[in-house]
Amino acid sequence: MQVQAGRDGRQRPLMLLTHNVQGITTAEKAYKCVSAWHRAGAHVVCVQETWVDRIRQQGQSQAEVELWLQQAAARLQMNDMQVWFANNTLASEHKAGVAIVLLHSHVLLEQVQVDIKSATPDGRLMACDLRWAGHHFTILNTYWPSEH
């Protein structure tokens, strides 16, 4: 089973991307990210370093970042994006935070089942069960900086 037709009319397989965004700190940054994922034809994006819900002042709230991402998707006429976060909820100076983004969910939801299994409190790891085209696999999205 394939997901959607490409420009040549042939069916495309599910496309997964990974992206270290180094913080989603503004609505414009959210737009640039969503636009890049859309141009790349991604269906699922594993995002690292969201910097969401950090105890320190530099982090944005999950609600604010999710709103920015949804507004960016709407600007691109993609009104069916879903986002799951693993946030750094610890009193830590480390930025962290990972997310899994499902783009074009109107196409995928009939074929893809997502179950967020776990997320660590420091926002460095989240697991997601994904069922697609008769296959079952687990995506682990993680971020571990080299200096720690």
Side-chain angles (χ1 to χ4, degrees), residues 1 3-4 6 9 14 38 45 82 106 110-111:
M1 180 182 294
V3 174
Q4 66 192 75
L14 184 69
H38 180 62
V45 183
Q82 295 185 19
H106 73 284
E110 294 177 10
Q111 302 169 31

Side-chain angles (χ1 to χ4, degrees), residues 13 16 34 36 40 50 53 90 102 109-110 119 121 123-124 129 132-133 141:
L16 292 104
V34 174
T50 61
D53 274 355
L90 302 177
L102 180 64
L109 286 179
E110 294 177 10
R124 295 206 180 275
D129 274 346
W132 173 75
N141 186 17

Side-chain angles (χ1 to χ4, degrees), residues 89-123:
T89 57
L90 302 177
S92 167
E93 66 187 50
H94 307 299
K95 296 171 182 161
V98 295
I100 294 179
V101 178
L102 180 64
L103 302 171
H104 311 294
S105 62
H106 73 284
V107 173
L108 294 174
L109 286 179
E110 294 177 10
Q111 302 169 31
V112 176
Q113 296 174 358
V114 179
D115 178 27
I116 301 301
K117 293 171 56 173
S118 62
T120 59
D122 62 357

Side-chain angles (χ1 to χ4, degrees), residues 9-58:
R10 296 189 315 181
Q11 297 295 309
R12 293 190 317 121
L14 184 69
M15 179 180 275
L16 292 104
L17 296 180
T18 183
H19 186 186
N20 181 326
V21 296
Q22 298 178 337
I24 302 174
T25 54
T26 66
E28 188 57 30
K29 176 88 177 256
Y31 176 77
K32 287 179 182 179
C33 291
V34 174
S35 180
W37 305 333
H38 180 62
R39 282 192 317 272
H43 299 105
V44 179
V45 183
C46 294
V47 182
Q48 295 86 35
E49 280 199 273
T50 61
W51 302 358
V52 170
D53 274 355
R54 292 179 52 221
I55 299 300
R56 297 234 184 229
Q57 296 174 350
Q58 297 157 332

